[in-house]
Structures are given as C-alpha cells and as structure tokens.
Amino acid sequence: MMDKIKPALFWVVDYYPDLGISKGEYYEQIAREVEYAEKLGYRGVWIAEHHFIDYGIVPSAPIYLTYLASRTSRIRLGPAVSTIVFRNPIQVAEEYSLLDTLSKGRLNLAVGSGYLKHEFAGFNVPLEIKREIFDEALDIVIRLMRGEKITINGKYFKYENIGINVLPLQNPHPPIWIAVLRAEAAYHVGKKGFNLMMIPYATVDKIGDIMPVVNSFREGLKESRSEEKELSLSFHTHVANSFHDAVETSKEYLHRYVFSRLYAKRRTLDELYDSGLLLFGSPEDVANQIYKIYKLARPNMLMFLVDYGMKPYDMVIDILTKIREKVAKHLEGKGILLDFDN
C-alpha cells in the first residue's frame, strides 16, 4: 500500500507590467493553465488574494475562482487565502457559498489573518488586533454556511437574526484550511479541527524548520479528538532535464519573484537552492526532494507553485506535464503515489 499525496497547484498571480502583456491577458493565461492542469488530473487549484500592488493581482478570489469554475468541471478550487479580517464575514459566507453552488461542490476554503503591512494600512485594520477579528469572523462564516440564523454581539461584529440566502452545496460547509506562520497558531488550528496550510518559503529559512509548526498542529489535533485533517505545503517548483537546466531556465523568473516580495528576508538564489524550500531539478531530483519532505512532515497535499515571475505558458505546461508523467513515476519507485485524478 503506497502512501498518497494529492497534487495541487498554487498561483500568487504576481504581475510585472514591463513584460508586455495586460492583466486581462495574464488572467486568461492562468485560466488556460488551469484547464490543462485539470486534463492532467491535478486535484486542486489555489489562488492567492492580495490588494493594492502587483505582487498579487487577484483582489477578489471568489470572482476569479468562479470564472475558473466556469472553465473546468472536476478540479477543486480555493483561495489561498481569503483574508477575512478585511471583509464583512456575511459577504464572505455568501460569496463562497455561491461559488460552491456554481462549481457543483468544488470549493476548498482557505482563510487567514494576513501578514502584509500595506494591506492592513490600506484597509485601516490595526495589525495588533487581527487575530481577534479573525477568530470572530471565522465563527460567523462557518455558522452562516451551516444555515444558522445568528445573533451576534461581538467586539467587532454585531448582527441581529441574520441568515444567508444561499448555502454551500457541501454539507455542513466546504472543507476549511487555515494558513499559519507560527507553531502557536498551528496548535490552535489543530485543536479546533481545521486543515493546515503552510508556504515554507514565506515562513522559515530551511525545510527542517517547519517541524515545530507541523508537530504543534498534530498535537492540537490529538487534543481535539477530531478525525485526521490535511496538511498542505506549497513549494516553488521548476522541473527541467537537470538541476543545472532548472537553475538556468528559471533564474530570471525566480529572481523577479523574490524581489517582488515586500518585507521578506532577502536571500540569494544560492541560499534558496540550498534551503530545501524549492523543488528544483530533473524529475528524479524533484522526486527525491518530495520524498525527503514527505518523510519529514507527511503532508497530505503538495501545492506546486509553478507559474511565478510570469513564466511563459509553454514553460508552465511543460513543467506540469513533467510532474505528472516523470516526477510521479520516480516517486512510485519510492513507494509514494502522487494521487492524480485520472
């Protein structure tokens, strides 16, 4: 019996106007990539939600995900993440319930409290209260999606006998992931019985440093006595004929992406290659890296971030195909199944 990992894809949708294509054209390119990913059998699509600058150009994930739902029929769809501290939780519940209905029950809902200073400044939300707002808002979203009529007299939200007029197709609500950066937060995610999402590149200096977060999550799960929940990890990925080819053909795009990140610790490309936070190299190299990550943390899902730095469509398609046809084959030889949909 082989261990299984669900293969999914993640887009930050970072945009660079000097590359000569419009935002509309780039949205369309990603939609075509998603269509191709569905044909290959990838299990999920995750789209980042960001505001105010071109680091990520999807300010309303449910709108873009609804568009992607209209272009696909099987692949699951979700935000990574919906930053609910910036939104009215009633509207979050309404919009994602509608998306789940229109997509015929394909929504994965990942939520978070945010981390980018300019977004908190833009929405006039103090960073120091984000966790309180998040906890209050998430409870409201879940209760509304379950079909409850709620009366809330909270610190940040006050409602009187409110219910929403469209419920999600998935009952009692779509599966929920919470994105975290710290072990303390991961423990509470597990204790409340939610799935955990983590992007190690944004969190730690080397891959082994994720373990305090992972262990805290699983400790919380034990205390919750809930059924096993999913751990999803995301990695920048570039598969070529060799490690040298992967470095050379991705260098332009990785450099562009790294230096688009505000507030992030500046690391050289060599430091990144040595960190274990990237899946880079030949199909065999990448399979070996995935094997090490699986033995370390045992994630249920890997979210491959293939299109960063606005890679050309053909390059993205080539990498998606290599993961499906070659990386997966090498992993099977190690007793791990990349569990594609077909």
Side-chain angles (χ1 to χ4, degrees):
M1 190 76 173
M2 285 198 289
D3 293 323
K4 294 181 180 180
I5 307 174
K6 295 177 184 176
L9 298 169
F10 173 46
W11 281 261
V12 174
V13 198
D14 48 317
Y15 177 76
Y16 308 89
D18 57 338
L19 295 188
I21 68 172
S22 69
K23 290 179 180 177
E25 289 169 329
Y26 191 44
Y27 295 136
E28 174 62 20
Q29 176 182 317
I30 292 173
R32 290 170 59 212
E33 292 168 1
V34 170
E35 288 177 318
Y36 193 81
E38 180 175 76
K39 290 177 183 177
L40 290 175
Y42 284 87
R43 300 286 292 273
V45 168
W46 300 90
I47 300 292
E49 176 182 297
H50 286 297
H51 305 274
F52 308 127
I53 63 171
D54 287 342
Y55 168 65
I57 58 167
V58 177
S60 177
I63 289 178
Y64 190 54
L65 288 168
T66 299
Y67 176 63
L68 295 180
S70 74
R71 302 276 294 256
T72 56
S73 60
R74 298 188 319 278
I75 200 164
R76 294 186 65 82
L77 308 155
V81 298
S82 176
T83 312
I84 60 176
V85 300
F86 302 146
R87 305 285 307 283
N88 183 311
I90 295 174
Q91 292 174 307
V92 173
E94 288 177 329
E95 290 172 5
Y96 281 107
S97 293
L98 180 57
L99 170 55
D100 195 54
T101 300
L102 293 173
S103 68
K104 297 180 172 60
R106 289 189 282 144
L107 173 64
N108 288 333
L109 181 56
V111 295
S113 59
Y115 67 100
L116 295 174
K117 295 176 185 176
H118 71 275
E119 294 186 345
F120 285 88
F123 284 107
N124 195 28
V125 175
L127 264 165
E128 60 270 18
I129 61 172
K130 70 172 188 172
R131 177 53 55 182
E132 291 181 353
I133 298 174
F134 175 84
D135 289 341
E136 199 171 303
L138 180 58
D139 179 65
I140 292 168
V141 170
I142 290 173
R143 291 178 62 188
L144 288 171
M145 281 185 154
R146 285 176 171 162
E148 293 183 32
K149 289 267 190 180
I150 62 170
T151 295
I152 298 289
N153 185 24
K155 187 174 179 180
Y156 301 101
F157 304 102
K158 300 181 189 299
Y159 305 119
E160 182 70 31
N161 195 32
I162 289 293
I164 58 176
N165 60 2
V166 57
L167 297 179
L169 206 58
Q170 297 176 89
N171 185 38
H173 54 73
I176 293 174
W177 278 258
I178 297 182
V180 302
L181 300 175
R182 304 183 329 275
E184 179 186 350
Y187 169 79
H188 292 290
V189 171
K191 191 169 182 179
K192 291 179 179 179
F194 295 118
N195 302 300
L196 183 81
M197 178 179 289
M198 187 179 180
I199 303 172
Y201 171 95
T203 306
V204 298
D205 291 329
K206 57 184 185 300
I207 189 61
D209 294 342
I210 69 171
M211 290 315 298
V213 179
V214 172
N215 290 338
S216 293
F217 167 61
R218 290 189 169 133
E219 188 61 35
L221 275 180
K222 286 180 185 177
E223 294 193 22
S224 75
R225 297 181 181 177
S226 62
E227 62 187 48
E228 183 64 26
K229 295 297 180 179
E230 292 198 353
L231 169 66
S232 301
L233 300 178
S234 179
F235 295 91
H236 295 72
T237 304
H238 194 94
V239 188
N241 294 325
S242 67
F243 180 76
H244 178 268
D245 286 348
V247 168
E248 290 303 310
T249 54
S250 69
K251 188 182 298 182
E252 170 189 349
Y253 309 102
L254 185 59
H255 186 272
R256 187 179 291 136
Y257 174 82
V258 166
F259 285 92
S260 73
R261 287 177 54 78
L262 296 179
Y263 330 117
K265 177 182 176 181
R266 294 289 183 233
R267 292 176 278 196
T268 67
L269 296 190
D270 285 339
E271 286 172 334
L272 285 173
Y273 299 139
D274 292 338
S275 68
L277 303 175
L278 308 176
L279 299 176
F280 267 50
S282 68
E284 185 174 10
D285 292 332
V286 171
N288 288 337
Q289 292 157 13
I290 292 173
Y291 179 79
K292 289 177 183 177
I293 290 166
Y294 185 77
K295 289 301 179 181
L296 179 70
R298 296 196 172 271
N300 309 87
M301 179 185 293
L302 284 181
M303 302 157 60
F304 299 102
L305 204 176
V306 172
D307 186 354
Y308 51 84
M310 286 179 68
K311 288 179 182 174
Y313 172 80
D314 289 344
M315 179 182 286
V316 173
I317 296 306
D318 181 64
I319 296 168
L320 298 183
T321 304
K322 281 185 167 70
I323 294 170
R324 175 67 175 93
E325 296 180 354
K326 297 182 178 182
V327 174
K329 185 175 181 180
H330 283 291
L331 274 171
E332 284 188 37
K334 297 175 176 295
I336 295 176
L337 178 68
L338 275 183
D339 193 16
F340 286 90
D341 192 34
N342 55 17

